[in-house]
Amino acid sequence: MNNTYGRMDAAFAQSLVDIVAAELNKNVNILDDKGVIIASFSRERIGQVHESGAKMLGAGVVKEFYVTKEEECSLKGMRQGYNVPIMFENRCIGVIGITGDQKTAGPYARLAARFVEANVQSNAQQEKLVGALHEKEELRSVFLNKIIMVQEEERKRISRELHDETSQSLTSIIVGLRMLAEQVEDSKDKEKILKIRDLAVTTLEAVHHIAVELRPVLLDDLGLVAAAKKYIENYAKQYEISLHVDFSNLSRERFSPEVEITLYRILQEALTNIVKHAQATEVSVSLNKRQDKLMLMVQDNGVGFDTKMAESTHSRTCLGIYGMGERVALVEGNLTITSVIGQGTKLFVEIPLEEINNLDIVD
């Protein structure tokens, strides 16, 4: 059957005709809902109008009918035989006819009609299920996108508050403690105040780190390239890993917010996984644009892992990989992860770009 809901496919109809005709040694025809022959053991009849069938279908009275010997002689292109309507959801979608006398041809015509109806019904149900599945996937993508957007907006809000309010308050405390320490003459009291000041400085650094992890200001203000470079710079300082970075063909170019946050989060997740699991000493990161595609590659020389086994488990790493795949799918991109145990891992992301989403900053 074809994918047209509730209609017969000519190829299927012809295969059924050939089987029935060979079994009965009779001519078999299948008509569409207009009375046109779409399948016949006599190939030359395909495309012709079956006058009796067309008349019955046109009258709107659906019923079985028999072409007699006399009608065969008087009607053009007709042959003696029994014809049975093919029904689908209370409407006639065609007719199947088998040549011969009424007693012999009738049961076979009814059986063949029921077979066609069952096949049409089966395919219609399959099409409904496929359609429902597509709708479910579309809704899932919409909801997932909404969830990610809400999460990112909340991250942005908290990050801004930490940066603008909490950080400023801590800075004021640090300055105040420093001034207080200068006014105190007792050395022990001064030492206590300076220790509190140092604790406030450490807290300020931790708050700044949390704010950047939640949502770097650079990402919103200057874009993906600036934010990614800064993240990699801090990453290299924090961990003893040799980093090779290639951001060729990109300077201050901007992309859609969805693409930028997607690639930034994937870079974040990939580099975090390397620290936690890979035991790598060298990491390569490249971000390039070629024609209408933006590509991110993160590769390490770590211990690697079995990708097939990872897919069947529910470890934190696998959830991270799953999350990356979900994010990439939402921007219609592709994510590929290849890994060999003892030889490292390579993550490659490719995202299509639209002209309208590219924003070039003019100096």
Side-chain angles (χ1 to χ4, degrees):
M1 307 303 294
N2 64 3
N3 290 326
T4 304
Y5 181 69
R7 295 183 67 87
M8 290 185 294
D9 176 63
F12 165 76
Q14 188 60 55
S15 65
L16 176 63
V17 163
D18 292 340
I19 293 170
V20 176
E23 182 70 23
L24 301 178
N25 195 26
K26 301 283 187 180
N27 188 55
V28 181
N29 299 313
I30 294 182
L31 323 180
D32 64 12
D33 56 355
K34 304 297 182 184
V36 177
I37 299 174
I38 62 170
S40 177
F41 188 67
S42 302
R43 297 293 199 276
E44 68 276 3
R45 302 197 66 194
I46 296 175
Q48 296 179 3
V49 176
H50 190 287
E51 292 189 20
S52 295
K55 183 178 180 181
M56 184 273 291
L57 292 165
V61 179
V62 179
K63 62 179 181 179
E64 299 178 4
F65 63 94
Y66 178 64
V67 177
T68 65
K69 193 68 174 177
E70 292 75 17
E71 288 175 320
E72 179 180 342
C73 296
S74 62
L75 296 175
K76 182 181 177 181
M78 295 296 98
R79 295 185 182 178
Q80 181 185 4
Y82 202 81
N83 300 272
V84 177
I86 299 169
M87 304 299 295
F88 175 77
E89 295 185 348
N90 297 322
R91 63 186 177 89
C92 182
I93 61 172
V95 176
I96 185 165
I98 298 178
T99 60
D101 61 77
Q102 186 171 357
K103 185 177 180 180
T104 303
Y108 286 107
R110 293 190 189 95
L111 182 62
R114 300 297 87 79
F115 180 78
V116 175
E117 289 170 355
N119 196 278
V120 171
Q121 185 67 38
S122 174
N123 280 275
Q125 289 176 349
Q126 184 177 359
E127 288 175 19
K128 285 181 179 179
L129 289 173
V130 170
L133 182 61
H134 287 163
E135 289 180 4
K136 181 180 177 181
E137 286 298 316
E138 288 175 2
L139 285 174
R140 177 179 169 278
S141 296
V142 169
F143 289 142
L144 182 59
N145 192 39
K146 289 288 185 184
I147 290 170
I148 290 176
M149 287 176 62
V150 170
Q151 286 178 336
E152 289 299 336
E153 285 301 316
E154 187 66 8
R155 283 169 174 258
K156 185 191 295 187
R157 183 186 67 79
I158 296 172
S159 177
R160 291 284 185 181
E161 288 182 0
L162 289 173
H163 183 271
D164 296 339
E165 298 179 16
T166 308
S167 294
Q168 289 179 10
S169 298
L170 284 169
T171 301
S172 297
I173 292 171
I174 291 167
V175 173
L177 288 169
R178 181 63 186 178
M179 292 175 63
L180 180 62
E182 291 176 354
Q183 296 173 6
V184 173
E185 294 182 359
D186 187 276
S187 59
K188 290 184 178 180
D189 291 340
K190 180 179 289 189
E191 185 180 352
K192 290 179 181 178
I193 293 170
L194 289 176
K195 284 184 177 179
I196 296 172
R197 176 186 175 277
D198 291 341
L199 178 61
V201 170
T202 303
T203 304
L204 177 61
E205 291 173 351
V207 167
H208 178 72
H209 177 72
I210 293 170
V212 171
E213 287 290 315
L214 282 171
R215 178 86 173 204
V217 176
L218 280 176
L219 184 63
D220 297 311
D221 294 346
L222 297 179
L224 173 64
V225 177
K229 284 182 177 179
K230 186 63 177 178
Y231 183 82
I232 291 170
E233 180 184 327
N234 293 336
Y235 182 89
K237 290 178 182 178
Q238 188 173 0
Y239 306 107
E240 295 182 0
I241 298 177
S242 176
L243 271 160
H244 308 279
V245 182
D246 174 21
F247 281 19
S248 59
N249 302 327
L250 295 172
S251 54
R252 298 179 66 186
E253 189 170 3
R254 297 298 302 269
F255 307 96
S256 70
E258 294 81 9
V259 169
E260 290 195 335
I261 193 61
T262 294
L263 287 176
Y264 184 83
R265 292 302 183 203
I266 289 173
L267 175 64
Q268 224 178 5
E269 182 70 27
L271 291 179
T272 300
N273 283 341
I274 289 172
V275 170
K276 289 183 176 180
H277 310 288
Q279 301 175 31
T281 57
E282 292 185 5
V283 177
S284 296
V285 179
S286 68
L287 181 66
N288 301 290
K289 190 182 82 166
R290 295 179 187 172
Q291 296 178 344
D292 59 346
K293 293 179 181 178
L294 194 59
M295 292 167 288
L296 171 69
M297 188 273 292
V298 181
Q299 187 169 10
D300 67 69
N301 67 343
V303 296
F305 65 96
D306 186 337
T307 54
K308 291 183 179 179
M309 183 177 294
E311 290 173 358
S312 61
T313 64
H314 300 281
S315 67
R316 170 66 183 84
T317 306
C318 299
L319 290 175
I321 293 172
Y322 179 78
M324 288 189 284
E326 292 284 347
R327 281 183 175 272
V328 172
L330 287 174
V331 289
E332 300 182 357
N334 293 309
L335 169 67
T336 305
I337 298 177
T338 55
S339 185
V340 178
I341 294 177
Q343 298 183 33
T345 301
K346 178 180 178 181
L347 176 147
F348 182 75
V349 180
E350 186 177 72
I351 296 177
L353 299 174
E354 295 181 8
E355 291 280 334
I356 58 173
N357 285 336
N358 291 344
L359 306 172
D360 294 320
I361 295 179
V362 180
D363 292 328

